[in-house]
Amino acid sequence: MTNPTFGETIVKTAAAWGAVASMALCVAVLIASEFMPVSLLTPIARDLGMSEGQAGQAISISGLFAVLTSLFIAGFTRKIDRKFVLSSFSLMLIVSGLVVSFAPNYAALMVGRALLGVAIGGFWSMSTAVVMRLLLESAVPEGLALLNAGNAIAATISAPLGSFLGLHRLAGRVLLRGSAGAHCAPRVLIGGAITRAVLPRLVWAQKETNMKMRIAFADHVFTATLYDSPPARDLWSMLPLELEIDNYANNEKIAYLPRKLTEEGSGSFSNEAPGDLCYYAPWGNLAFFYAGYRYSAGLIRLGRLDGGVEPLLTRGKFPLRIERLS
């Protein structure tokens, strides 16, 4: 459990910026998909045999579903890895573009545009929070600027580009309404693939719970509180435990578990401090830190000691008992 090397730090930073760039690309496609039909309402209405007012509702319905989604998506997805959620919205945008492109009637057009609204509302409602968790605090303004650059560029070019594609009918091979949807699929496939490849797994918010443990070894008895995360709950399900605790390096004591914990929702973290209770996935051991440390790959923070770290300063190997306090 050594500190990250210089090379590992560089890779982590590059991956975070790559994830932000891929999100900016997806934002550009979202905005382009939303506003491109504005310049094509008349030909779309003629193509589907409906009034221009009905065609205009295709713009309104995406906005309506975007608002509704943004209000409720955080609660529905709070226990799901954000990487999976954002990738799902990218896939939903592809489906929306294809449905709109080949819609045979008014109802199918509305369904496709409603799916687009869900993707827009979901993506926008969590994009800022995701950027703030991907980058260091000092780099967040640049990250948000990059994210909104995709918005500004797409809003500027989407309407004239839609008109151009509609007039030329994409060399006669795509219907007018297809110019508002089908061309988005390749770009979203690229953006979604990049997002899936470079967006790191985002660790669960580390909120304290009522999962308190009593820890005893040698003549020491102290408590710790677990965070609300799948690995912490997995540890909670294993209690009580009879283990052995021993020193490792000069900043922690470790205890090997009878089996490995789930790594769901794990990822890099900051604000490392003495008193952290962690799990080192490659070795399958608990790590009780009594001095400063740095995050390294495979380290998962489970919770914190409730008191000081003085009990951990006792050196040697001892029987260790961990049990539920509440």
Side-chain angles (χ1 to χ4, degrees):
M1 281 179 285
T2 58
N3 292 340
T5 65
F6 178 78
E8 290 172 335
T9 303
I10 293 297
V11 170
K12 180 177 181 294
T13 302
W17 277 109
V20 174
S22 70
M23 289 176 62
L25 176 61
C26 288
V27 165
V29 177
L30 281 168
I31 300 303
S33 301
E34 182 179 14
F35 291 112
M36 195 169 290
V38 171
S39 58
L40 297 169
L41 294 180
T42 298
I44 288 176
R46 183 170 58 249
D47 188 42
L48 289 176
M50 59 186 181
S51 68
E52 294 180 0
Q54 288 178 309
Q57 291 174 358
I59 308 299
S60 302
I61 194 171
S62 62
L64 173 63
F65 275 82
V67 171
L68 294 176
T69 302
S70 66
L71 294 176
F72 302 107
I73 194 66
F76 290 152
T77 63
R78 68 184 185 89
K79 294 185 177 181
I80 305 176
D81 183 6
R82 290 299 186 259
K83 179 176 182 177
F84 174 78
V85 175
L86 293 178
S87 299
S88 298
F89 286 136
S90 298
L91 177 61
M92 188 176 298
L93 181 54
I94 295 174
V95 174
S96 168
L98 294 175
V99 170
V100 171
S101 298
F102 301 104
N105 51 45
Y106 173 77
L109 178 65
M110 292 298 105
V111 170
R113 294 292 295 181
L115 287 175
L116 173 63
V118 173
I120 291 172
F123 208 95
W124 271 116
S125 66
M126 63 181 62
S127 59
T128 299
V130 170
V131 169
M132 293 176 67
R133 294 173 66 184
L134 287 173
L135 302 176
L136 297 175
E137 184 177 355
S138 60
V140 168
E142 290 87 347
L144 294 178
L146 178 61
L147 188 70
N148 285 283
N151 178 8
I153 293 172
T156 301
I157 68 172
S158 57
L161 180 60
S163 180
F164 173 81
L165 294 176
L167 289 174
H168 290 78
R169 293 174 176 263
L170 289 182
R173 297 176 62 186
V174 180
L175 295 176
L176 286 169
R177 65 182 184 277
S179 66
H183 71 286
C184 293
R187 288 189 291 168
V188 180
L189 282 172
I190 296 172
I194 296 174
T195 301
R196 190 68 185 172
V198 303
L199 184 63
R201 296 174 64 186
L202 300 178
V203 65
W204 282 47
Q206 295 177 335
K207 299 179 180 179
E208 291 189 355
T209 66
N210 59 356
M211 294 188 293
K212 290 186 175 292
M213 307 183 302
R214 178 185 288 110
I215 304 170
F217 74 91
D219 296 326
H220 305 294
V221 178
F222 53 98
T223 62
T225 302
L226 297 177
Y227 293 135
D228 183 17
S229 69
R233 288 198 297 271
D234 194 13
L235 174 63
W236 182 256
S237 70
M238 297 171 64
L239 300 181
L241 287 171
E242 299 286 347
L243 309 171
E244 278 193 340
I245 190 169
D246 198 0
N247 295 95
Y248 182 83
N250 59 357
N251 63 343
E252 63 181 296
K253 297 183 80 70
I254 64 174
Y256 288 93
L257 295 171
R259 66 167 175 82
K260 290 194 172 184
L261 301 178
T262 178
E263 299 178 41
E264 179 187 352
S266 62
S268 61
F269 57 86
S270 57
N271 301 322
E272 306 93 330
D276 284 348
L277 170 60
C278 298
Y279 168 69
Y280 189 55
W283 294 358
N285 66 273
L286 297 177
F288 301 82
F289 288 99
Y290 56 82
Y293 73 101
R294 294 288 301 276
Y295 168 81
S296 60
L299 197 62
I300 302 172
R301 187 155 53 187
L302 301 176
R304 279 193 58 81
L305 304 186
D306 294 327
V309 298
E310 288 76 12
L312 302 178
L313 301 179
T314 302
R315 300 191 65 83
K317 180 184 291 187
F318 303 95
L320 171 70
R321 178 174 175 82
I322 306 177
E323 59 187 10
R324 297 182 182 184
L325 186 61
S326 58

